[in-house]
Amino acid sequence: MIPIEEIRETLVALHETPGIGRITIDRLLAISALDGARTRREGDWRELGLTAKQAAAAVENLGEARMEARRRRWARTGLSYVTALDAAYPARLRHIADAPWVLYYYGRLELAARPSVAIVGTRLATAYGRRVAEDLASDCARAGLTVVSGLAKGIDAAAHLGALQGPGSTVAVLGSPADTPYPPENRTLYRQIAEAGLIVSETPPDIPLHPGLFPLRNRIIAGLALGVVVVEAAERSGALITADLAGSYDRDVFVVPGPVTSPRSRGPLLRLRQNSAKPVLDASDILSEYPAYLNGGETAAERADSDRELTPEEARVYRILRDGPRSVDELSAEAGLTFGLLHAVLLSLQIKRKIHQQPGSVYNAL
Amino acid sequence: MIPIEEIRETLVALHETPGIGRITIDRLLAISALDGARTRREGDWRELGLTAKQAAAAVENLGEARMEARRRRWARTGLSYVTALDAAYPARLRHIADAPWVLYYYGRLELAARPSVAIVGTRLATAYGRRVAEDLASDCARAGLTVVSGLAKGIDAAAHLGALQGPGSTVAVLGSPADTPYPPENRTLYRQIAEAGLIVSETPPDIPLHPGLFPLRNRIIAGLALGVVVVEAAERSGALITADLAGSYDRDVFVVPGPVTSPRSRGPLLRLRQNSAKPVLDASDILSEYPAYLNGGETAAERADSDRELTPEEARVYRILRDGPRSVDELSAEAGLTFGLLHAVLLSLQIKRKIHQQPGSVYNAL
């Protein structure tokens, strides 16, 4: 096991430790306190600034029994995770002040790094709102944008449905754990997204549902997307909070106008009145903001983004593997790298979740 | 007959002369060519720059037979007129570049000088649009604004109807002559407005209806109002032309959002997309732009506007008459003016349409 994997497991264990939150983890990382965490006793943790309660919980959660239980969990649930220490962690989300340390997911994690818009709104949507949400999502996904939403009833569900029609596909950010379909009405949609898109949640599995999880989810929706579109929302509404968060993250905020007589259009219209959002008459109002990202799939702009994360050697190997799987011998010959350097490059690409090692030392691009 | 009355009659005659338009009249006035116009022959007119055709038409239309026919017309139709030379001419309308020289009217001309908003839109309105137009007009009129519109079917009719519920009342600007109710569907509404509000038109009586009259009407609607509200309008629509004119006159442009799926809301929404109009969620979005004019009836700001047109002596006499009718003797005593000065002041106030002379030399304020 490489050290980075140990650090990742430690990070997940701390993330799942009751009483230890994002800010405590920030502080521990700042003093490099994740190294050697597993052998640390309560007194050691307290010296590092944890309370007695936090220290006891950390020791228990970092014990081998719990670590082993988590490893069995991945096998049992098929759930994956990505940490903020990983290259595969969604880059835009990393830039928000309160980015989650760990995301659990099913499906195509690369969708979270793609150019995306969030389409959100009230659970109590009108037929008008659902229709517009589905049409906008379909048009955005067909144009190549990924559609992020919250898998709630109403507008969110309509947005996911629309997006599943296009290649841009869709990311559902759950307040519940990623392995817990919620709400039950959207169980079928959940399965479709797990297969064709991405289900993601900050909430560890086995955490019971509680209302406080859903506001936290909103910041991830806003953080993942280039912009947030509010289709329908009452005057006080989670969707407007998501929009305000997007504004605070310097992302675009869009609203869909509707009848001034409709309470469900009140939220979007109030944002127009304040001049704090762009009106969306059709998908062109969204797409025109992101010309570099359009025309389906990975564009030049996106490739440039993703290549920036790689060293020249890593990029060379990665480009070869995108043509098809290769053995270490084939790679060494094609890339013109020594075995020593090649192994370092392959390890780094695995950590960056760019490639995958198959049995028999054959590698393929992800 | 005082000279100003002769000038006014001449101006109306020229305004009604086929082939003589607003710009020709501008030029004639610039060279003071209205004095002595009635005794002028064709050659005289041609020397002043008129074409042969215009000259012949002017001589005919200024002849005593025609002048007398017009005087009989006022008596027969009950129609009044106001010219741009008169103090009673609506002040805001005077400020537009292509202000009409003559307006024919039934009803309370003072409404045209009051603070007002135009509420306009498509003839093919939806139930949503008609409801919003009526509610906005009612709220604006109750708050003290006069509502200007075009007496068309659909949004215009709903706006007039709503306004008739409030003290601000309503001005209908017709493309047809003021004594010709058009369209026939709105005949009852026309009668209500002639009684409680103001019917106004630039088109001389006896002119047959033609489509070109209606676009000309739009500039008067825009010119009378502090701002124009477009409730529903297709992408190409007279209501949007009125809004654009209002913008060019430096008046406010407001639009009512509606469903993005409604072709009737397309015009308003396009203006929002261009950021060239303020969205109206309810009447407060309009009223908040005109705080000085609110709370019903004539406000301090309005009185200041109207008093600015009067000399100190005129204002003194006018204030006395607003308390109740007075004879010349009573006025002379109360105002402390000599009979000579008082007569000049009374004449001027009559020309400015501030007061009216009753039989027996008793005067009352209008």
Side-chain angles (χ1 to χ4, degrees), chain B residues 9-88:
Chain B
E9 283 191 337
T10 301
L11 184 55
V12 172
L14 287 172
H15 173 77
E16 297 188 6
T17 300
I20 294 187
R22 197 176 41 74
I23 293 167
T24 304
I25 296 178
D26 284 355
R27 212 180 51 227
L28 291 172
L29 269 158
I31 57 173
S32 299
L34 261 55
D35 299 329
R38 302 211 195 160
T39 54
R40 213 168 279 146
R41 292 159 186 249
E42 290 188 30
D44 304 324
W45 282 115
R46 295 207 56 187
E47 273 177 34
L48 293 172
L50 265 55
T51 66
K53 217 166 159 184
Q54 287 177 318
V59 168
E60 186 182 346
N61 229 7
L62 284 161
E64 194 46 40
R66 288 291 182 91
M67 298 304 282
E68 192 49 39
R70 262 188 292 276
R71 284 179 208 123
R72 281 198 306 272
R73 175 213 283 166
W74 311 130
R76 186 183 73 244
T77 59
L79 206 56
S80 303
Y81 70 89
V82 63
T83 78
L85 301 177
D86 305 333

Side-chain angles (χ1 to χ4, degrees), chain A residues 13 29 62 126 133 143 166 181 220 249 292 319 335:
Chain A
L29 269 158
L62 284 161
T126 68
I220 302 179
Y249 301 155
R319 274 196 297 271

Side-chain angles (χ1 to χ4, degrees), chain B residues 266-315:
Chain B
R266 184 85 183 154
L269 291 176
L270 286 173
R271 290 303 188 275
L272 279 188
R273 178 189 266 175
Q274 296 161 353
N275 211 8
S276 61
K278 298 181 181 110
V280 172
L281 279 61
D282 52 49
S284 74
D285 290 305
I286 303 163
L287 301 175
S288 62
E289 298 288 334
Y290 312 116
Y293 294 122
L294 301 186
N295 300 319
E298 204 180 54
T299 64
E302 200 180 343
R303 268 196 302 279
D305 274 349
S306 116
D307 287 354
R308 219 174 290 140
E309 299 166 359
L310 302 182
T311 66
E313 288 77 16
E314 286 168 6

Side-chain angles (χ1 to χ4, degrees), chain A residues 226-256:
Chain A
L226 295 163
V228 169
V229 186
V230 181
V231 179
E232 282 190 321
E235 196 159 345
R236 289 164 203 283
S237 153
L240 291 182
I241 293 170
T242 306
D244 291 345
L245 284 168
S248 77
Y249 301 155
D250 243 351
R251 312 294 163 88
D252 297 306
V253 179
F254 304 91
V255 295
V256 174

Side-chain angles (χ1 to χ4, degrees), chain A residues 339-361:
Chain A
F339 277 96
L341 180 53
L342 179 58
H343 269 112
V345 164
L346 288 172
L347 201 58
S348 172
L349 284 171
Q350 278 178 277
I351 291 169
K352 289 177 178 174
R353 305 240 155 193
K354 290 287 185 184
I355 65 170
H356 177 76
Q357 183 181 5
Q358 300 173 11
S361 283

Side-chain angles (χ1 to χ4, degrees), chain B residues 6 12 46 58 79 140 171 174 179 184 199 283 342:
Chain B
E6 209 173 301
V12 172
R46 295 207 56 187
L79 206 56
C140 286
V171 176
L174 273 56
D179 64 345
I199 300 275
L342 180 59

Side-chain angles (χ1 to χ4, degrees), chain A residues 128 259-261 273 280 282 285, chain B residues 128 259-261 273 280 282 285:
Chain A
Y128 164 68
V260 298
T261 49
R273 176 189 268 176
V280 172
D282 53 48
D285 290 304
Chain B
Y128 165 69
V260 298
T261 48
R273 178 189 266 175
V280 172
D282 52 49
D285 290 305

Side-chain angles (χ1 to χ4, degrees), chain A residues 266-308:
Chain A
R266 185 85 182 155
L269 292 175
L270 286 173
R271 290 303 188 273
L272 279 186
R273 176 189 268 176
Q274 295 161 354
N275 210 8
S276 61
K278 299 180 180 110
V280 172
L281 280 60
D282 53 48
S284 74
D285 290 304
I286 302 164
L287 300 175
S288 62
E289 298 287 334
Y290 313 115
Y293 293 121
L294 301 187
N295 300 320
E298 204 180 51
T299 65
E302 201 180 343
R303 267 196 303 279
D305 275 349
S306 120
D307 286 354
R308 220 173 291 140

